[in-house]
């Protein structure tokens, strides 16, 4: 298995780290073309994958990923179309701004394409990725794409009209959770806990609470009710959150992104 990837920014780097961390992909099986900022070169010194500045090198890859800024997707595809000619190598964009239909307009309706929206936990093989496939993709190419994302965490197939909300929830959500954990830790520090311990406890609590929901399949409200004793400390804390509009602020954050 050989993987080619354009881009080693936040998402590209996360995917590269995840593949190599999985040990299913070896450094010599990973070809990266970086940009002008030098992030790919710096990461290559750490992880020892192959670097290139020649798009023709992607002719030898089994699959190609595009992890670059949205304005670069179509120009790269135009270049790859000329280079690949009759060779068929599945191409996956991880940019939210270019649809499969727009990619097909360049590569043709027959070409195996996908648009995927991963989130940054792919770097520790615990990512959540939504994916849309081109209409005429073969089962063989679809399975190849799925296998590479399965190394990075969970993959779910979605329709093109849902990719925006998926990206907002799964892609922006980690930042919301990070802010929440930081605020929880600030509250703990305010009350005497040292910072390192506060971050550790908050992160562990969030992770284990999420796993409890996933493993039990219970409604979040039911799990919340199991912690909130009548007149107890937890319900007092929840009341304080509600007073400050915690739920509305969270819903509004998602809605604001979708309307922007």
């Amino acid at each position: 298995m050989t993987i080619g990837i354009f881009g080693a920014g936040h998402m590209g780097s996360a995917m590269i780290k995840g593949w190599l961390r999985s040990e299913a992909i070896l450094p010599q099986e990973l070809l990266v073309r970086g940009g002008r900022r030098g992030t790919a070169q710096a990461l290559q010194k750490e992880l020892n994958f192959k670097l290139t500045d020649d798009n023709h090198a992607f002719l030898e890859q089994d699959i190609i990923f595009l992890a670059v800024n949205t304005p670069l997707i179509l120009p790269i595809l135009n270049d790859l179309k000329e280079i690949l000619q009759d060779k068929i190598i599945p191409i996956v964009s991880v940019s939210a701004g270019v649809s499969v239909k727009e990619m097909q307009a360049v590569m043709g309706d027959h070409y195996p394409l996908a648009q995927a929206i991963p989130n940054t936990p792919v770097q520790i093989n615990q990512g959540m990725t939504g994916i849309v496939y081109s209409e005429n993709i073969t089962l063989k190419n679809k399975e190849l794409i799925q296998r590479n994302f399965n190394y990075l965490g969970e993959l779910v197939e979605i329709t093109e009209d849902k990719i925006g909300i998926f990206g907002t929830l799964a892609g922006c959500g980690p930042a919301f959770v990070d802010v929440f954990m930081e605020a929880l830790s600030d509250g703990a520090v305010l009350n005497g806990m040292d910072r390192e311990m506060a971050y550790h406890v908050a992160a562990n609590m969030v992770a284990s609470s999420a796993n409890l929901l996933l493993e039990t399949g219970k409604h979040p409200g039911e799990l919340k009710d199991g912690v909130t004793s009548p007149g107890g400390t937890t319900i007092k804390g929840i009341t304080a959150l509600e007073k400050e509009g915690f739920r509305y602020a969270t819903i509004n954050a998602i809605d604001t992104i979708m309307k922007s």
Side-chain angles (χ1 to χ4, degrees):
M1 168 67 67
T2 55
I3 296 175
I5 181 167
F6 286 78
H10 290 303
M11 186 51 64
S13 294
M15 294 170 68
I16 290 165
K17 290 175 182 178
W19 282 321
L20 297 180
R21 188 177 187 269
S22 74
E23 298 185 347
I25 304 298
L26 301 176
Q28 61 267 30
E29 296 173 322
L30 190 56
L31 178 71
V32 180
R33 172 153 194 178
R36 300 175 181 175
R37 293 183 294 175
T39 53
Q41 289 79 0
L43 193 63
Q44 193 270 341
K45 291 179 181 178
E46 176 188 348
L47 299 177
N48 298 313
F49 51 77
K50 295 190 293 183
L51 272 176
T52 186
D53 58 3
D54 182 4
N55 288 357
H56 288 81
F58 288 85
L59 270 168
E60 307 304 319
Q61 307 310 299
D62 294 318
I63 187 169
I64 298 171
F65 291 86
L66 308 181
V68 296
N69 292 332
T70 298
L72 298 177
I73 297 291
L74 296 183
I76 290 174
L77 287 177
N78 274 299
D79 192 41
L80 286 175
K81 184 178 181 180
E82 294 298 319
I83 292 169
L84 297 175
Q85 297 189 16
D86 295 329
K87 189 167 185 180
I88 302 297
I89 302 173
I91 299 175
V92 183
S93 165
V94 296
S95 169
V98 178
S99 70
V100 170
K101 289 181 180 178
E102 290 174 298
M103 295 167 66
Q104 284 183 314
V106 176
M107 302 300 295
D109 291 342
H110 71 288
Y111 203 90
L113 299 164
Q115 180 189 14
I117 305 295
N119 59 11
T120 51
V122 295
Q123 66 186 296
I124 58 167
N125 316 106
Q126 295 180 33
M128 171 60 73
T129 302
I131 193 163
V132 179
Y133 298 100
S134 55
E135 187 174 344
N136 297 318
I137 195 167
T138 65
L139 180 60
K140 180 180 178 181
N141 284 322
K142 192 172 182 180
E143 288 176 343
L144 174 62
I145 293 168
Q146 288 172 338
R147 183 161 70 251
N148 281 279
F149 276 113
N150 286 338
Y151 297 142
L152 302 178
E154 184 173 348
L155 180 70
V156 293
E157 185 172 353
I158 55 177
T159 56
E160 195 149 22
D161 64 314
K162 296 295 188 294
I163 200 163
I165 184 57
F166 182 94
T168 298
L169 182 58
C172 302
F176 301 164
V177 174
D178 290 337
V179 170
F180 179 52
M181 288 191 294
E182 185 179 28
L184 287 170
S185 301
D186 284 345
V189 170
L190 179 65
N191 284 275
M193 184 178 284
D194 71 81
R195 175 66 67 182
E196 185 176 356
M197 177 63 75
Y199 283 147
H200 178 78
V201 173
N204 187 275
M205 178 276 297
V206 169
S208 58
S209 297
N211 286 333
L212 181 62
L213 186 150
L214 291 171
E215 291 189 21
T216 63
K218 291 183 177 180
H219 189 283
E222 184 181 357
L223 293 173
K224 179 265 295 178
D225 288 348
V227 186
T228 50
S229 303
T233 55
T234 304
I235 192 62
K236 292 177 182 177
I238 289 173
T239 300
L241 288 173
E242 295 290 3
K243 183 180 179 182
E244 299 299 327
F246 179 73
R247 288 175 192 253
Y248 175 78
T250 305
I251 295 167
N252 193 42
I254 299 289
D255 196 44
T256 298
I257 292 171
M258 292 301 296
K259 290 177 177 177
S260 64

